[in-house]
Amino acid sequence: MIELASGLIYYPEYFDRVAQENLLAHLRDIIRAAPLFTPRMPRTGKAFSVRMTNCGPLGWVSDQERGYRYQATHPETGEPWPRFPPEILAAWGDVGKYAHPPEACLINYYASAARMSLHQDRDEADFAAPVVSLSLGDTCLFRFGGTTRGGPTRSIKLLSGDALVLGGPARLAFHGVDRVIPGTSTLLPERGRFNLTLRRVTRPA
Ligand code: SIN
Ligand code: FE2
């Protein structure tokens, strides 16, 4: 593992190919039950370029009317989110190093042209817990900076199977995805990239 900045820990090749295929099979099941939806920006209603779904007790959603939030049900089907695959909980325990379980796993799908502008993950009540990110499929150019907007940033490539932890002083680091580099992985027949971010949402009692 490599500490890219204080609290920002990179685990290249965290999942080998077999583990990636296994996790992908879980994702397919999750998406069958909880289809990818297109989130929209608060107020403007502009569509995100990623599509998303979630698993776990809570899921992150966003729409024009009610903005960013966590909720227990899929915004289109109204069903509870599918449960966490055990491998996700294992990764949280292994690299997250936090005493309480995660409550949400946001699953973003990036088609070739999708991107994610610089932002902080701050819709959670508990910033003591890290955010654990897992990547599958095509390589992306991931950008990160400090905790103030407009500060200096760096980029790294995140490859299929890589894990990244935003914890401690990096928990509120600005981050985003400049672009996906098409055709860099053979994992997804449809191309593109999945990113899973595991989060603790509520403060443990
Ligand atoms: C996110 O910040 O929600 C996603 C980051 C990534 O796709 O690597
Ligand atoms: Fe994020």
Side-chain angles (χ1 to χ4, degrees), residues 50 52 106 108 110 116-117 119 121 131 133-135 140 142 158 164 175-177 193-197 199:
V50 294
M52 59 180 57
L106 172 63
N108 286 135
Y110 296 75
M116 174 92 60
S117 55
H119 65 278
D121 288 1
V131 171
S133 146
L134 310 172
S135 294
C140 81
F142 178 85
L158 290 181
L164 183 69
H175 61 278
V177 171
R193 169 177 185 262
F194 281 109
N195 176 260
L196 286 65
T197 43
R199 297 106 183 268

Side-chain angles (χ1 to χ4, degrees), residues 28-139:
R28 302 288 192 210
D29 288 342
I30 289 166
I31 291 168
R32 211 169 294 124
L36 293 167
F37 60 91
T38 298
R40 294 184 176 275
M41 295 294 290
R43 295 183 300 279
T44 65
K46 187 178 180 311
F48 284 51
S49 60
V50 294
R51 290 187 297 145
M52 59 180 57
T53 188
N54 292 269
C55 61
L58 293 172
W60 190 90
V61 300
S62 181
D63 57 30
Q64 181 169 14
E65 298 74 24
R66 294 170 61 201
Y68 305 151
R69 63 194 185 275
Y70 284 93
Q71 63 181 41
T73 56
H74 189 287
E76 291 172 0
T77 68
E79 296 289 330
W81 304 105
R83 61 179 87 251
F84 288 130
E87 292 81 355
I88 282 186
L89 294 173
W92 173 268
D94 183 32
V95 302
K97 305 187 194 311
Y98 186 70
H100 303 274
E103 295 173 300
C105 175
L106 172 63
I107 300 166
N108 286 135
Y109 175 68
Y110 296 75
S112 304
R115 51 189 294 281
M116 174 92 60
S117 55
L118 279 179
H119 65 278
Q120 293 170 297
D121 288 1
R122 53 180 317 141
D123 300 317
E124 302 75 30
D126 182 11
F127 296 141
V131 171
V132 173
S133 146
L134 310 172
S135 294
L136 291 177
D138 283 338
T139 300

